[in-house]
Amino acid sequence: MSDFLLTQVINYGTPLIGLILFLGALGLPIGASVVVIAAGAFGQQGILDIPSAAILGLVGALLGDSLSFSMGYYAKDSVQKRFGQSPAWRSARASFQKRAGLAVFLTRWLITAMAIPTNLIAGSSGYKYTRFIAYDAAGEILWIGLYGGLGYLFGAQWELVYDFMSNFGGLILGLMVFGFGIRQAWSWQEKKKSLSK
């Protein structure tokens, strides 16, 4: 699929990059990160215009993120009906409100696998759209600049960069899941101790 997409990017240019990043922001598994890195390499080779690729890519990503945020927003009443009375949901919602900006920013460029769930949670938890889009834009600009810049810098070896970034992102996600598991186990042990007293 990636080879096909990359061939189409060469054939159709920067508007297709915007479309790919839009669809990727909606959760379609089309390899948006590989396209951004490859676009940087194609820009170095003179195949693509870098400024227009970056702008159209950013617009596509922001539109996709806004749409997935909206899906969460319009589902918030049903989420509230189902989970609103749960102390765990209220606690998670309050915790998310405190750290939502950082979560949105980091999931744009560092932990990209968590971007869609973060968008949906932000929308369904009542997080302000203006804050969401500000952190979203900052993270997407960094993602496009960093990944596209690495593609530009490494040129013909951009596939090695993509492999490294994919593995690095997986490592970060794994460490986060591990840390969350440790935290939950610690919390469970503390509750168990307090109940036994």
Side-chain angles (χ1 to χ4, degrees):
M1 175 97 168
S2 291
D3 290 340
F4 173 77
L5 274 180
L6 295 176
T7 302
Q8 300 315 307
V9 166
I10 292 170
N11 291 335
Y12 296 103
T14 56
L16 187 58
I17 293 172
L19 178 62
I20 290 168
L21 269 57
F22 171 76
L23 295 174
L26 289 176
L28 272 68
I30 58 173
S33 291
V34 71
V35 169
V36 172
I37 293 170
F42 296 159
Q44 184 210 49
Q45 297 164 17
I47 297 170
L48 292 177
D49 178 55
I50 291 176
S52 62
I55 290 168
L56 289 174
L58 178 62
V59 168
L62 292 176
L63 287 173
D65 288 337
S66 295
L67 189 54
S68 58
F69 175 92
S70 298
M71 289 180 216
Y73 178 80
Y74 288 111
K76 78 178 178 184
D77 290 338
S78 56
V79 169
Q80 187 65 24
K81 283 179 189 172
R82 178 151 186 192
F83 301 109
Q85 301 306 315
S86 163
W89 169 251
R90 285 189 294 230
S91 173
R93 183 177 175 176
S95 179
F96 182 80
Q97 290 290 334
K98 289 180 196 171
R99 297 177 184 89
L102 183 62
V104 170
F105 177 72
L106 290 177
T107 57
R108 302 308 104 168
W109 64 277
L110 184 61
I111 315 158
T112 56
M114 296 301 296
I116 304 301
T118 302
N119 295 351
L120 294 171
I121 292 167
S124 65
S125 69
Y127 192 66
K128 287 188 182 266
Y129 177 73
T130 52
R131 288 185 186 165
F132 171 81
I133 200 67
Y135 286 108
D136 182 46
E140 295 292 12
I141 289 168
L142 181 58
W143 175 61
I144 290 170
L146 178 65
Y147 281 49
L150 287 171
Y152 184 88
L153 185 64
F154 286 90
Q157 297 175 331
W158 65 266
E159 291 176 272
L160 296 174
V161 174
Y162 174 69
D163 289 341
F164 173 78
M165 296 304 280
S166 294
N167 292 334
F168 182 72
L171 173 66
I172 295 295
L173 181 59
L175 289 173
M176 285 186 61
V177 169
F178 180 72
F180 180 75
I182 297 266
R183 182 176 174 211
Q184 290 300 104
W186 182 269
S187 176
W188 181 73
Q189 281 289 53
E190 292 298 313
K191 283 182 184 177
K192 190 175 172 183
K193 283 180 188 177
S194 66
L195 291 174
S196 64
K197 288 182 181 178

PDB file of all heavy atoms in Angstrom, residues 136-163:
ATOM      1  N   ASP A 136      -3.188  20.960  18.833  1.00  0.00           N
ATOM      2  CA  ASP A 136      -3.163  20.107  17.647  1.00  0.00           C
ATOM      3  C   ASP A 136      -2.275  20.715  16.570  1.00  0.00           C
ATOM      4  O   ASP A 136      -1.408  20.042  16.002  1.00  0.00           O
ATOM      5  CB  ASP A 136      -4.596  19.917  17.142  1.00  0.00           C
ATOM      6  CG  ASP A 136      -4.689  19.000  15.947  1.00  0.00           C
ATOM      7  OD1 ASP A 136      -4.064  17.925  15.968  1.00  0.00           O
ATOM      8  OD2 ASP A 136      -5.394  19.348  14.985  1.00  0.00           O
ATOM      9  N   ALA A 137      -2.475  21.986  16.290  1.00  0.00           N
ATOM     10  CA  ALA A 137      -1.682  22.662  15.256  1.00  0.00           C
ATOM     11  C   ALA A 137      -0.206  22.672  15.619  1.00  0.00           C
ATOM     12  O   ALA A 137       0.653  22.399  14.767  1.00  0.00           O
ATOM     13  CB  ALA A 137      -2.194  24.084  15.041  1.00  0.00           C
ATOM     14  N   ALA A 138       0.106  22.953  16.891  1.00  0.00           N
ATOM     15  CA  ALA A 138       1.511  22.962  17.309  1.00  0.00           C
ATOM     16  C   ALA A 138       2.152  21.585  17.116  1.00  0.00           C
ATOM     17  O   ALA A 138       3.269  21.467  16.601  1.00  0.00           O
ATOM     18  CB  ALA A 138       1.613  23.391  18.773  1.00  0.00           C
ATOM     19  N   GLY A 139       1.434  20.541  17.504  1.00  0.00           N
ATOM     20  CA  GLY A 139       1.966  19.183  17.351  1.00  0.00           C
ATOM     21  C   GLY A 139       2.084  18.761  15.899  1.00  0.00           C
ATOM     22  O   GLY A 139       3.076  18.129  15.497  1.00  0.00           O
ATOM     23  N   GLU A 140       1.087  19.103  15.079  1.00  0.00           N
ATOM     24  CA  GLU A 140       1.132  18.734  13.655  1.00  0.00           C
ATOM     25  C   GLU A 140       2.250  19.475  12.923  1.00  0.00           C
ATOM     26  O   GLU A 140       2.924  18.908  12.060  1.00  0.00           O
ATOM     27  CB  GLU A 140      -0.214  19.000  12.977  1.00  0.00           C
ATOM     28  CG  GLU A 140      -1.365  18.152  13.466  1.00  0.00           C
ATOM     29  CD  GLU A 140      -1.281  16.677  13.120  1.00  0.00           C
ATOM     30  OE1 GLU A 140      -0.219  16.185  12.665  1.00  0.00           O
ATOM     31  OE2 GLU A 140      -2.293  15.978  13.326  1.00  0.00           O
ATOM     32  N   ILE A 141       2.458  20.745  13.267  1.00  0.00           N
ATOM     33  CA  ILE A 141       3.556  21.504  12.654  1.00  0.00           C
ATOM     34  C   ILE A 141       4.893  20.857  13.006  1.00  0.00           C
ATOM     35  O   ILE A 141       5.763  20.688  12.146  1.00  0.00           O
ATOM     36  CB  ILE A 141       3.504  22.989  13.085  1.00  0.00           C
ATOM     37  CG1 ILE A 141       2.307  23.680  12.429  1.00  0.00           C
ATOM     38  CG2 ILE A 141       4.805  23.714  12.744  1.00  0.00           C
ATOM     39  CD1 ILE A 141       1.991  25.053  12.990  1.00  0.00           C
ATOM     40  N   LEU A 142       5.044  20.482  14.272  1.00  0.00           N
ATOM     41  CA  LEU A 142       6.283  19.814  14.682  1.00  0.00           C
ATOM     42  C   LEU A 142       6.442  18.482  13.956  1.00  0.00           C
ATOM     43  O   LEU A 142       7.532  18.144  13.480  1.00  0.00           O
ATOM     44  CB  LEU A 142       6.301  19.611  16.194  1.00  0.00           C
ATOM     45  CG  LEU A 142       7.554  18.938  16.761  1.00  0.00           C
ATOM     46  CD1 LEU A 142       8.808  19.732  16.420  1.00  0.00           C
ATOM     47  CD2 LEU A 142       7.426  18.763  18.265  1.00  0.00           C
ATOM     48  N   TRP A 143       5.360  17.702  13.856  1.00  0.00           N
ATOM     49  CA  TRP A 143       5.400  16.401  13.176  1.00  0.00           C
ATOM     50  C   TRP A 143       5.816  16.556  11.718  1.00  0.00           C
ATOM     51  O   TRP A 143       6.732  15.881  11.251  1.00  0.00           O
ATOM     52  CB  TRP A 143       4.025  15.744  13.276  1.00  0.00           C
ATOM     53  CG  TRP A 143       3.875  14.454  12.536  1.00  0.00           C
ATOM     54  CD1 TRP A 143       4.580  13.312  12.736  1.00  0.00           C
ATOM     55  CD2 TRP A 143       2.930  14.177  11.497  1.00  0.00           C
ATOM     56  NE1 TRP A 143       4.132  12.323  11.878  1.00  0.00           N
ATOM     57  CE2 TRP A 143       3.124  12.840  11.114  1.00  0.00           C
ATOM     58  CE3 TRP A 143       1.936  14.921  10.876  1.00  0.00           C
ATOM     59  CZ2 TRP A 143       2.353  12.234  10.118  1.00  0.00           C
ATOM     60  CZ3 TRP A 143       1.175  14.323   9.895  1.00  0.00           C
ATOM     61  CH2 TRP A 143       1.390  12.987   9.521  1.00  0.00           C
ATOM     62  N   ILE A 144       5.158  17.452  11.006  1.00  0.00           N
ATOM     63  CA  ILE A 144       5.477  17.647   9.589  1.00  0.00           C
ATOM     64  C   ILE A 144       6.896  18.189   9.430  1.00  0.00           C
ATOM     65  O   ILE A 144       7.657  17.727   8.577  1.00  0.00           O
ATOM     66  CB  ILE A 144       4.431  18.572   8.923  1.00  0.00           C
ATOM     67  CG1 ILE A 144       3.099  17.823   8.822  1.00  0.00           C
ATOM     68  CG2 ILE A 144       4.899  19.041   7.554  1.00  0.00           C
ATOM     69  CD1 ILE A 144       1.923  18.682   8.401  1.00  0.00           C
ATOM     70  N   GLY A 145       7.269  19.138  10.272  1.00  0.00           N
ATOM     71  CA  GLY A 145       8.624  19.694  10.201  1.00  0.00           C
ATOM     72  C   GLY A 145       9.699  18.677  10.545  1.00  0.00           C
ATOM     73  O   GLY A 145      10.713  18.576   9.846  1.00  0.00           O
ATOM     74  N   LEU A 146       9.469  17.917  11.613  1.00  0.00           N
ATOM     75  CA  LEU A 146      10.462  16.931  12.056  1.00  0.00           C
ATOM     76  C   LEU A 146      10.572  15.767  11.079  1.00  0.00           C
ATOM     77  O   LEU A 146      11.654  15.460  10.582  1.00  0.00           O
ATOM     78  CB  LEU A 146      10.097  16.417  13.450  1.00  0.00           C
ATOM     79  CG  LEU A 146      11.005  15.340  14.046  1.00  0.00           C
ATOM     80  CD1 LEU A 146      12.403  15.884  14.283  1.00  0.00           C
ATOM     81  CD2 LEU A 146      10.423  14.814  15.349  1.00  0.00           C
ATOM     82  N   TYR A 147       9.456  15.134  10.783  1.00  0.00           N
ATOM     83  CA  TYR A 147       9.482  13.963   9.905  1.00  0.00           C
ATOM     84  C   TYR A 147       9.860  14.349   8.476  1.00  0.00           C
ATOM     85  O   TYR A 147      10.682  13.695   7.845  1.00  0.00           O
ATOM     86  CB  TYR A 147       8.137  13.251   9.923  1.00  0.00           C
ATOM     87  CG  TYR A 147       7.897  12.371  11.122  1.00  0.00           C
ATOM     88  CD1 TYR A 147       8.117  12.823  12.421  1.00  0.00           C
ATOM     89  CD2 TYR A 147       7.424  11.087  10.972  1.00  0.00           C
ATOM     90  CE1 TYR A 147       7.882  12.024  13.509  1.00  0.00           C
ATOM     91  CE2 TYR A 147       7.178  10.270  12.055  1.00  0.00           C
ATOM     92  CZ  TYR A 147       7.412  10.748  13.332  1.00  0.00           C
ATOM     93  OH  TYR A 147       7.187   9.943  14.423  1.00  0.00           O
ATOM     94  N   GLY A 148       9.249  15.423   7.964  1.00  0.00           N
ATOM     95  CA  GLY A 148       9.594  15.885   6.620  1.00  0.00           C
ATOM     96  C   GLY A 148      11.029  16.364   6.546  1.00  0.00           C
ATOM     97  O   GLY A 148      11.735  16.114   5.561  1.00  0.00           O
ATOM     98  N   GLY A 149      11.485  17.030   7.606  1.00  0.00           N
ATOM     99  CA  GLY A 149      12.872  17.502   7.657  1.00  0.00           C
ATOM    100  C   GLY A 149      13.868  16.353   7.654  1.00  0.00           C
ATOM    101  O   GLY A 149      14.912  16.423   6.995  1.00  0.00           O
ATOM    102  N   LEU A 150      13.543  15.294   8.398  1.00  0.00           N
ATOM    103  CA  LEU A 150      14.429  14.119   8.390  1.00  0.00           C
ATOM    104  C   LEU A 150      14.452  13.467   7.012  1.00  0.00           C
ATOM    105  O   LEU A 150      15.511  13.030   6.544  1.00  0.00           O
ATOM    106  CB  LEU A 150      13.991  13.112   9.458  1.00  0.00           C
ATOM    107  CG  LEU A 150      14.299  13.521  10.898  1.00  0.00           C
ATOM    108  CD1 LEU A 150      13.624  12.569  11.877  1.00  0.00           C
ATOM    109  CD2 LEU A 150      15.800  13.550  11.143  1.00  0.00           C
ATOM    110  N   GLY A 151      13.290  13.406   6.368  1.00  0.00           N
ATOM    111  CA  GLY A 151      13.246  12.873   5.003  1.00  0.00           C
ATOM    112  C   GLY A 151      14.093  13.705   4.057  1.00  0.00           C
ATOM    113  O   GLY A 151      14.832  13.174   3.231  1.00  0.00           O
ATOM    114  N   TYR A 152      14.006  15.018   4.198  1.00  0.00           N
ATOM    115  CA  TYR A 152      14.801  15.924   3.366  1.00  0.00           C
ATOM    116  C   TYR A 152      16.290  15.739   3.646  1.00  0.00           C
ATOM    117  O   TYR A 152      17.104  15.665   2.731  1.00  0.00           O
ATOM    118  CB  TYR A 152      14.389  17.365   3.642  1.00  0.00           C
ATOM    119  CG  TYR A 152      15.083  18.372   2.757  1.00  0.00           C
ATOM    120  CD1 TYR A 152      14.552  18.711   1.520  1.00  0.00           C
ATOM    121  CD2 TYR A 152      16.272  18.978   3.159  1.00  0.00           C
ATOM    122  CE1 TYR A 152      15.187  19.627   0.701  1.00  0.00           C
ATOM    123  CE2 TYR A 152      16.916  19.892   2.343  1.00  0.00           C
ATOM    124  CZ  TYR A 152      16.376  20.210   1.118  1.00  0.00           C
ATOM    125  OH  TYR A 152      17.020  21.107   0.299  1.00  0.00           O
ATOM    126  N   LEU A 153      16.628  15.664   4.923  1.00  0.00           N
ATOM    127  CA  LEU A 153      18.032  15.561   5.333  1.00  0.00           C
ATOM    128  C   LEU A 153      18.672  14.258   4.852  1.00  0.00           C
ATOM    129  O   LEU A 153      19.805  14.249   4.370  1.00  0.00           O
ATOM    130  CB  LEU A 153      18.126  15.661   6.862  1.00  0.00           C
ATOM    131  CG  LEU A 153      19.509  15.692   7.486  1.00  0.00           C
ATOM    132  CD1 LEU A 153      20.242  16.951   7.052  1.00  0.00           C
ATOM    133  CD2 LEU A 153      19.391  15.660   9.003  1.00  0.00           C
ATOM    134  N   PHE A 154      17.918  13.150   4.963  1.00  0.00           N
ATOM    135  CA  PHE A 154      18.484  11.844   4.611  1.00  0.00           C
ATOM    136  C   PHE A 154      18.215  11.438   3.166  1.00  0.00           C
ATOM    137  O   PHE A 154      18.758  10.450   2.695  1.00  0.00           O
ATOM    138  CB  PHE A 154      17.986  10.774   5.587  1.00  0.00           C
ATOM    139  CG  PHE A 154      18.642  10.869   6.920  1.00  0.00           C
ATOM    140  CD1 PHE A 154      18.095  11.654   7.920  1.00  0.00           C
ATOM    141  CD2 PHE A 154      19.832  10.208   7.168  1.00  0.00           C
ATOM    142  CE1 PHE A 154      18.713  11.756   9.157  1.00  0.00           C
ATOM    143  CE2 PHE A 154      20.465  10.304   8.398  1.00  0.00           C
ATOM    144  CZ  PHE A 154      19.898  11.092   9.395  1.00  0.00           C
ATOM    145  N   GLY A 155      17.381  12.190   2.464  1.00  0.00           N
ATOM    146  CA  GLY A 155      17.173  11.987   1.041  1.00  0.00           C
ATOM    147  C   GLY A 155      16.857  10.559   0.650  1.00  0.00           C
ATOM    148  O   GLY A 155      15.846  10.001   1.043  1.00  0.00           O
ATOM    149  N   ALA A 156      17.739   9.951  -0.114  1.00  0.00           N
ATOM    150  CA  ALA A 156      17.508   8.610  -0.660  1.00  0.00           C
ATOM    151  C   ALA A 156      17.429   7.532   0.423  1.00  0.00           C
ATOM    152  O   ALA A 156      16.934   6.439   0.169  1.00  0.00           O
ATOM    153  CB  ALA A 156      18.600   8.260  -1.667  1.00  0.00           C
ATOM    154  N   GLN A 157      17.889   7.832   1.622  1.00  0.00           N
ATOM    155  CA  GLN A 157      17.847   6.851   2.710  1.00  0.00           C
ATOM    156  C   GLN A 157      16.664   7.100   3.653  1.00  0.00           C
ATOM    157  O   GLN A 157      16.687   6.693   4.807  1.00  0.00           O
ATOM    158  CB  GLN A 157      19.160   6.887   3.486  1.00  0.00           C
ATOM    159  CG  GLN A 157      20.350   6.497   2.639  1.00  0.00           C
ATOM    160  CD  GLN A 157      21.655   6.644   3.383  1.00  0.00           C
ATOM    161  OE1 GLN A 157      21.777   7.478   4.276  1.00  0.00           O
ATOM    162  NE2 GLN A 157      22.618   5.839   3.015  1.00  0.00           N
ATOM    163  N   TRP A 158      15.633   7.748   3.160  1.00  0.00           N
ATOM    164  CA  TRP A 158      14.491   8.107   3.989  1.00  0.00           C
ATOM    165  C   TRP A 158      13.804   6.880   4.582  1.00  0.00           C
ATOM    166  O   TRP A 158      13.212   6.963   5.653  1.00  0.00           O
ATOM    167  CB  TRP A 158      13.502   8.963   3.203  1.00  0.00           C
ATOM    168  CG  TRP A 158      12.847   8.263   2.053  1.00  0.00           C
ATOM    169  CD1 TRP A 158      13.264   8.271   0.757  1.00  0.00           C
ATOM    170  CD2 TRP A 158      11.683   7.441   2.097  1.00  0.00           C
ATOM    171  NE1 TRP A 158      12.435   7.496  -0.014  1.00  0.00           N
ATOM    172  CE2 TRP A 158      11.451   6.985   0.783  1.00  0.00           C
ATOM    173  CE3 TRP A 158      10.813   7.052   3.105  1.00  0.00           C
ATOM    174  CZ2 TRP A 158      10.385   6.153   0.465  1.00  0.00           C
ATOM    175  CZ3 TRP A 158       9.748   6.234   2.785  1.00  0.00           C
ATOM    176  CH2 TRP A 158       9.536   5.789   1.479  1.00  0.00           C
ATOM    177  N   GLU A 159      13.873   5.714   3.917  1.00  0.00           N
ATOM    178  CA  GLU A 159      13.210   4.519   4.445  1.00  0.00           C
ATOM    179  C   GLU A 159      13.842   4.067   5.764  1.00  0.00           C
ATOM    180  O   GLU A 159      13.144   3.567   6.646  1.00  0.00           O
ATOM    181  CB  GLU A 159      13.250   3.398   3.412  1.00  0.00           C
ATOM    182  CG  GLU A 159      12.369   3.711   2.210  1.00  0.00           C
ATOM    183  CD  GLU A 159      12.451   2.665   1.136  1.00  0.00           C
ATOM    184  OE1 GLU A 159      13.342   2.787   0.276  1.00  0.00           O
ATOM    185  OE2 GLU A 159      11.623   1.733   1.177  1.00  0.00           O
ATOM    186  N   LEU A 160      15.152   4.267   5.906  1.00  0.00           N
ATOM    187  CA  LEU A 160      15.814   3.949   7.180  1.00  0.00           C
ATOM    188  C   LEU A 160      15.294   4.860   8.290  1.00  0.00           C
ATOM    189  O   LEU A 160      15.094   4.423   9.416  1.00  0.00           O
ATOM    190  CB  LEU A 160      17.331   4.095   7.038  1.00  0.00           C
ATOM    191  CG  LEU A 160      18.019   3.145   6.071  1.00  0.00           C
ATOM    192  CD1 LEU A 160      19.492   3.507   5.922  1.00  0.00           C
ATOM    193  CD2 LEU A 160      17.868   1.697   6.548  1.00  0.00           C
ATOM    194  N   VAL A 161      15.064   6.124   7.954  1.00  0.00           N
ATOM    195  CA  VAL A 161      14.517   7.080   8.924  1.00  0.00           C
ATOM    196  C   VAL A 161      13.126   6.630   9.358  1.00  0.00           C
ATOM    197  O   VAL A 161      12.796   6.641  10.548  1.00  0.00           O
ATOM    198  CB  VAL A 161      14.463   8.503   8.326  1.00  0.00           C
ATOM    199  CG1 VAL A 161      13.758   9.462   9.260  1.00  0.00           C
ATOM    200  CG2 VAL A 161      15.854   8.986   7.999  1.00  0.00           C
ATOM    201  N   TYR A 162      12.307   6.222   8.404  1.00  0.00           N
ATOM    202  CA  TYR A 162      10.953   5.773   8.721  1.00  0.00           C
ATOM    203  C   TYR A 162      10.991   4.553   9.642  1.00  0.00           C
ATOM    204  O   TYR A 162      10.248   4.502  10.628  1.00  0.00           O
ATOM    205  CB  TYR A 162      10.169   5.455   7.452  1.00  0.00           C
ATOM    206  CG  TYR A 162       8.822   4.858   7.768  1.00  0.00           C
ATOM    207  CD1 TYR A 162       7.826   5.633   8.361  1.00  0.00           C
ATOM    208  CD2 TYR A 162       8.552   3.520   7.539  1.00  0.00           C
ATOM    209  CE1 TYR A 162       6.594   5.089   8.690  1.00  0.00           C
ATOM    210  CE2 TYR A 162       7.320   2.972   7.859  1.00  0.00           C
ATOM    211  CZ  TYR A 162       6.355   3.761   8.438  1.00  0.00           C
ATOM    212  OH  TYR A 162       5.150   3.219   8.773  1.00  0.00           O
ATOM    213  N   ASP A 163      11.854   3.588   9.336  1.00  0.00           N
ATOM    214  CA  ASP A 163      11.960   2.396  10.194  1.00  0.00           C
ATOM    215  C   ASP A 163      12.354   2.791  11.612  1.00  0.00           C
ATOM    216  O   ASP A 163      11.778   2.303  12.588  1.00  0.00           O
ATOM    217  CB  ASP A 163      12.988   1.411   9.626  1.00  0.00           C
ATOM    218  CG  ASP A 163      12.501   0.729   8.362  1.00  0.00           C
ATOM    219  OD1 ASP A 163      11.277   0.717   8.120  1.00  0.00           O
ATOM    220  OD2 ASP A 163      13.355   0.213   7.619  1.00  0.00           O
TER     221      ASP A 163
END
